[in-house]
Amino acid sequence: MSNSHSMSKAELITALSVTAGAAAVGVLVYKTFFSKAKCAKPKVNLDLQKDNPKVVHAFDIEDLGDKAVYCRCWRSKKFPYCDGAHAKHNQETGDNVGPLIIKRKDA
């Protein structure tokens, strides 16, 4: 009597399929419950001045004139000034962001 057991082609394919399926389930469970990537929050600034560690703009009040309108959605082509890009952003995402408006008080 021989102790060696050779697998048939069908048994080998079944074993490989079960192993691949178990590996796929393992990866999904890991990504769902243990991966730190799920903790990452989406970025607001998608493409403006990405080479800078922090995007900062400062303006002197005296230089603003009567009114200045600044972007808060980070989608403006004229950033840091608002060009109305928030309207499209709001429509696409259901968000409600609008510009920051600074104006002088009427005397």
Side-chain angles (χ1 to χ4, degrees):
M1 223 171 158
S2 171
N3 269 347
S4 69
H5 175 65
S6 68
M7 296 177 88
S8 70
K9 195 174 186 180
E11 289 173 324
L12 182 62
I13 290 172
T14 301
L16 289 174
S17 298
V18 168
T19 302
V25 168
V27 167
L28 290 173
V29 167
Y30 173 78
K31 283 187 173 184
T32 302
F33 296 107
F34 302 107
S35 176
K36 291 183 181 180
K38 72 174 188 161
C39 297
K41 295 189 179 179
K43 294 186 178 187
V44 174
N45 179 8
L46 302 178
D47 59 358
L48 296 168
Q49 299 181 20
K50 295 306 278 183
D51 54 327
N52 289 337
K54 185 190 306 184
V55 179
V56 176
H57 294 94
F59 300 93
D60 289 330
I61 293 291
E62 295 79 20
D63 297 336
L64 291 180
D66 290 335
K67 179 177 163 184
V69 183
Y70 295 100
C71 176
R72 293 193 306 168
C73 73
W74 291 82
R75 306 297 188 273
S76 175
K77 300 291 185 213
K78 297 178 180 181
F79 193 86
Y81 300 104
C82 178
D83 68 357
H86 58 273
K88 181 180 177 188
H89 165 78
N90 289 346
Q91 185 178 18
E92 291 174 349
T93 65
D95 205 349
N96 65 348
V97 69
L100 168 65
I101 301 172
I102 299 174
K103 60 183 182 176
R104 291 194 185 278
K105 226 181 205 183
D106 293 331

